[in-house]
Amino acid sequence: MSSSSTVVPVLEIGGTHVTAALVDARAGAVVPGTVRRDGLDAAADAESILGAILACAGSVDAAAGAPWGVAVPGPFDYAQG
């Protein structure tokens, strides 16, 4: 994937799941065959949650150093981590 590519790796992190995919920004569409959705235990410790997010993100064939689109809807208990 070149820096001029319109394909962008993305993450959507919810309270019960994390989804990773490649999106063709020019076409406004998910690249077929690139979606991975995993469960996420909101009651788990931070290390487990981050591990699940990294595992899901690692399944996407993104170039090293590529910028990612990330959606993290609220509300979250930021004080508790």
Side-chain angles (χ1 to χ4, degrees):
M1 194 167 37
S2 72
S3 61
S4 63
S5 175
T6 62
V7 176
V8 178
V10 298
L11 279 175
E12 191 272 322
I13 304 167
T16 60
H17 71 277
V18 57
T19 304
L22 294 176
V23 172
D24 183 333
R26 183 170 287 138
V30 174
V31 176
T34 67
V35 178
R36 176 173 166 173
R37 181 180 171 114
D38 292 342
L40 195 60
D41 180 1
D45 60 41
E47 186 175 340
S48 296
I49 291 171
L50 288 173
I53 292 168
L54 289 172
C56 191
S59 72
V60 173
D61 187 20
W68 284 68
V70 180
V72 184
F76 284 93
D77 187 347
Y78 294 106
Q80 293 296 314

